Amino acid sequence: MTTVAFAASDEVDFLVIGAGASGGIMAKELATAGFRVVVLEQGPYLRESDYSHDELKYTILPGLTNDPEAQPITYRKSEQEPAKLYKAIEYGRQVGGGSVHFTANYWRFHESDFHEKSLCGDIAGASLGDWPIRYQDLEPFYTKAEYELGISGLGGANPFEAPRSKPYPLPPMPVKSSGVLFETATKKMGLHPFPAPLAILSQPYKGRAACVHCGFCESFGCEMGAKSSTLVSVIPLAEETGRCEIRPNSYVRKIEVNAHGKATGAVYFDQSRREILQRAKVVVLCANGVESAKLLLLSTSKEFPNGLANSSGLVGKHLMWDLGLLAEGLFEYPANEYKSVQVTRVIHDFYESDPKRGFYGGGGIDARFDFYPAGFALSGLPPDAPRWGLEFKKTFGHYFTRTISLLSHTTSLPIESNTVTLDPDVKDVWGLPAVRITYARHPDDVATLKWITQRQHEILETMGAKKIWGDPVDAFSTSRHLMGTCRMGSNPAKSVVNSYGRAHDVPNLFIVDGSNFVTSGRQQPTATIQALAYRAADNMSRMAKAGEL
């Protein structure tokens, strides 16, 4: 592999902050277009040989995610409450970001997701809006992402899917026990199950090995390179150009601007905590829906006293959450769901918002098993299960192989008071203000969760579950889908970036990640984040070559 190292004093063409789902694509697209690129990633650069099946390390401890000991997070439900230490948000913290350890669900958004305000009208207490783009604008880039990264699925199998220009490049993953039972039951109920599209290779693809069905997908890095993370798919292509340097262990603290209000680079701490300024003609922020907003708020200056690109006052606002609940069922015979990928079948019959329900919102449901042994022993068993001794061991042994879960993926409404701000009292180990999360669910989001939980229980009953239990509707968990804090729009007074991720206030600053989302869809944002990244990179390349940046 060709490697390159730029000096901090070199003014590179593009400085990309974050090497995750969108940053990895930016690196590849811009470097292969002929530009000099430096990518700053706060986490390490890990390879397949660095991964293991250590459940404690990756599901209990922050093996591949942000460590609250180093980067504390505070949380509160409203501005009136004191914020308390709590790991409210979680994100991938290594080259490849969350694409390294995500479950790998890879849905496209539906056509309706881009103009829900026009369809549903205003929602009291929320800031529902139309995106400044439509599905048709993203479709070519959804397709490009699927083919460049390697996505397994069956085009046309989901009757609610928007039109596609090409089938998936790879066939779907083999169906599991949960998928067979789920498909049989939902068809009996008049619903429309389809093979889950996954960012995991069902067959060898572009020199990478196919999945070996080890069962360690969610929370784990793939030792085979079969999970289609940016780490193994596009970042190597960026580096092979000889024009892209991936710089790990680089914690950015500020984006610098000049007196004319243009970005000039970024100041970061290296592994030895030395401060370094990397100069660049254009800065592309791809840190995620929380860290991007945090960095903009940290980047104050004479020109931007309230945070960079924040003349609208909307940086950090409209945070949308990872909503959905597990329902679990015990079956008569072993399903052995701990094997292979998490998900093989999904339904979108309840995806669209339906006014007959009496609230806004909808969702998808997939069949899966979301546990490994230790986690199942700690939190997967039903509430009435014994918790200690011989009876606990017997119960665990019986339930572990016979349990199937259904997970809902539901709406999170954008609300202006749900925010990312800087905590005035808590600092991280670099001495910077900690992230403070303020988030409370909209009543319609709660109603959606209640309604779809009933559907999950009905499906489990039809599947033949002998016992059903699951998350209570008021269960609150860490969010991994971080959306909405730098929303896109055509009006600079009501948005932070335009439809290509270009900051309204700073002509050579782009913000391209989940923070751009105007609405949450029904979760599973990765495909849309990556399609937006391909579209934005295409636009940046055109503008740069035309001398417009």
Side-chain angles (χ1 to χ4, degrees):
M1 179 180 292
T2 305
T3 58
V4 63
F6 295 101
S9 57
D10 292 338
E11 186 183 51
V12 296
D13 297 309
F14 288 91
L15 177 63
V16 179
I17 301 172
S22 58
I25 286 168
M26 285 293 169
K28 181 263 176 182
E29 290 294 283
L30 297 171
T32 56
F35 300 105
R36 298 177 306 154
V37 182
V38 168
V39 182
L40 300 177
E41 166 56 47
Q42 63 172 269
Y45 201 144
L46 302 176
R47 312 288 181 170
E48 287 94 314
S49 59
D50 296 311
Y51 303 135
S52 71
H53 292 173
D54 185 335
E55 183 183 353
L56 176 63
K57 179 178 180 180
Y58 295 116
T59 67
I60 308 298
L61 300 175
L64 294 173
T65 61
N66 51 306
D67 182 358
E69 293 296 320
Q71 296 167 281
I73 300 154
T74 62
Y75 167 76
R76 59 188 182 179
K77 289 184 179 180
S78 70
E79 291 184 3
Q80 289 69 45
E81 294 182 12
K84 298 180 180 179
L85 288 170
Y86 176 65
K87 191 177 180 179
I89 58 102
E90 184 173 85
Y91 57 86
R93 194 179 184 276
Q94 67 279 312
V95 175
S99 70
V100 169
H101 62 83
F102 73 147
T103 308
N105 267 324
Y106 208 82
W107 309 344
R108 296 182 177 197
F109 274 16
H110 289 206
E111 288 181 293
S112 60
D113 287 319
F114 296 94
H115 57 279
E116 283 193 285
K117 183 174 182 180
S118 294
L119 293 172
C120 301
D122 289 322
I123 308 295
S127 303
L128 193 64
D130 289 341
W131 294 51
I133 58 174
R134 291 294 180 264
Y135 171 83
Q136 292 77 9
D137 299 315
L138 270 192
E139 199 287 328
F141 301 102
Y142 276 125
T143 299
K144 185 172 184 177
E146 290 166 359
Y147 276 78
E148 290 215 342
L149 301 168
I151 307 300
S152 301
L154 183 60
N158 176 8
F160 308 104
E161 185 179 44
R164 306 175 56 86
S165 57
K166 283 186 178 182
Y168 286 100
L170 293 161
M173 299 296 290
V175 66
K176 295 174 64 175
S177 301
S178 59
V180 172
L181 293 172
F182 182 79
E183 182 167 342
T184 301
T186 51
K187 283 184 175 179
K188 183 178 179 180
M189 298 168 72
L191 305 175
H192 302 82
F194 61 95
L198 294 177
I200 298 173
L201 305 185
S202 59
Q203 297 176 354
Y205 190 69
K206 295 190 174 183
R208 290 162 45 211
C211 175
V212 296
H213 307 282
C214 70
F216 288 84
C217 296
E218 186 176 9
S219 302
F220 293 83
C222 181
E223 295 152 284
M224 301 299 297
K227 188 184 291 186
S228 296
S229 66
T230 56
L231 173 69
V232 299
S233 58
V234 290
I235 287 174
L237 300 178
E239 292 182 298
E240 285 171 8
T241 66
R243 291 184 290 272
C244 178
E245 179 188 358
I246 306 295
R247 207 173 286 173
N249 302 303
S250 301
Y251 188 60
V252 181
R253 74 163 183 83
K254 186 177 184 181
I255 298 170
E256 293 284 7
V257 295
N258 61 23
H260 303 291
K262 294 190 72 175
T264 58
V267 178
Y268 69 95
F269 294 102
D270 70 5
Q271 195 163 8
S272 301
R273 297 193 184 176
R274 295 175 299 181
E275 286 195 28
I276 298 172
L277 169 63
Q278 176 60 57
R279 299 174 64 240
K281 296 176 183 176
V282 180
V283 175
V284 187
L285 183 53
C286 302
N288 73 48
V290 167
E291 288 288 294
S292 288
K294 171 194 167 186
L295 184 54
L296 293 173
L297 294 172
L298 283 171
S299 299
T300 56
S301 63
K302 180 181 177 182
E303 292 75 23
F304 299 97
N306 298 316
L308 189 59
N310 196 26
S311 66
S312 65
L314 294 177
V315 169
K317 296 184 178 180
H318 302 112
L319 174 65
M320 292 178 284
W321 209 253
D322 187 355
L323 293 182
L325 297 172
L326 272 180
E328 298 176 69
L330 176 69
F331 289 80
E332 183 176 358
Y333 300 105
N336 296 324
E337 281 293 303
Y338 59 87
K339 299 178 181 180
S340 192
V341 297
Q342 257 69 40
V343 181
T344 58
R345 289 295 182 274
V346 187
I347 57 168
H348 277 182
D349 294 76
F350 309 127
Y351 193 99
E352 302 296 338
S353 188
D354 185 346
K356 294 177 183 176
R357 297 175 195 154
F359 55 85
Y360 162 83
I365 300 173
D366 68 42
R368 60 169 64 199
F369 186 57
D370 240 6
F371 294 98
Y372 303 98
F376 189 72
L378 290 170
S379 60
L381 290 167
D384 59 355
R387 297 292 160 183
W388 192 254
L390 181 59
E391 289 305 309
F392 164 75
K393 292 179 181 178
K394 289 180 180 178
T395 302
F396 172 83
H398 183 73
Y399 276 67
F400 185 71
T401 58
R402 292 170 172 81
T403 297
I404 291 173
S405 305
L406 302 187
L407 181 63
S408 60
H409 310 265
T410 60
T411 314
S412 176
L413 275 163
I415 302 171
E416 189 168 339
S417 58
N418 286 342
T419 61
V420 173
T421 53
L422 305 177
D423 195 293
D425 304 313
V426 181
K427 301 285 193 292
D428 64 21
V429 295
W430 292 269
L432 301 176
V435 164
R436 180 175 60 187
I437 301 294
T438 305
Y439 180 84
R441 294 170 178 164
H442 190 280
D444 279 20
D445 291 340
V446 176
T448 301
L449 287 168
K450 288 180 180 178
W451 184 87
I452 208 161
T453 296
Q454 293 171 353
R455 308 290 82 76
Q456 290 167 268
H457 284 229
E458 291 166 2
I459 294 169
L460 282 168
E461 289 173 3
T462 307
M463 289 169 65
K466 303 302 179 185
K467 181 173 185 174
I468 298 171
W469 68 100
D471 297 330
V473 171
D474 60 357
F476 187 81
S477 61
T478 296
S479 180
R480 297 170 181 86
H481 301 160
L482 310 174
M483 303 167 283
T485 56
C486 300
R487 57 169 29 185
M488 63 165 61
S490 55
N491 184 347
K494 296 182 179 180
S495 58
V496 178
V497 300
N498 71 8
S499 67
Y500 292 101
R502 190 181 193 180
H504 293 305
D505 298 348
V506 185
N508 65 336
L509 171 66
F510 290 80
I511 306 153
V512 185
D513 53 30
S515 68
N516 298 158
F517 284 30
V518 180
T519 52
S520 67
R522 276 50 173 165
Q523 307 300 328
Q524 304 313 327
T526 308
T528 301
I529 289 171
Q530 296 191 302
L532 288 171
Y534 275 112
R535 181 174 182 269
D538 181 69
N539 179 63
M540 286 180 215
S541 295
R542 266 200 324 270
M543 293 182 70
K545 288 176 180 178
E548 297 173 5
L549 286 179

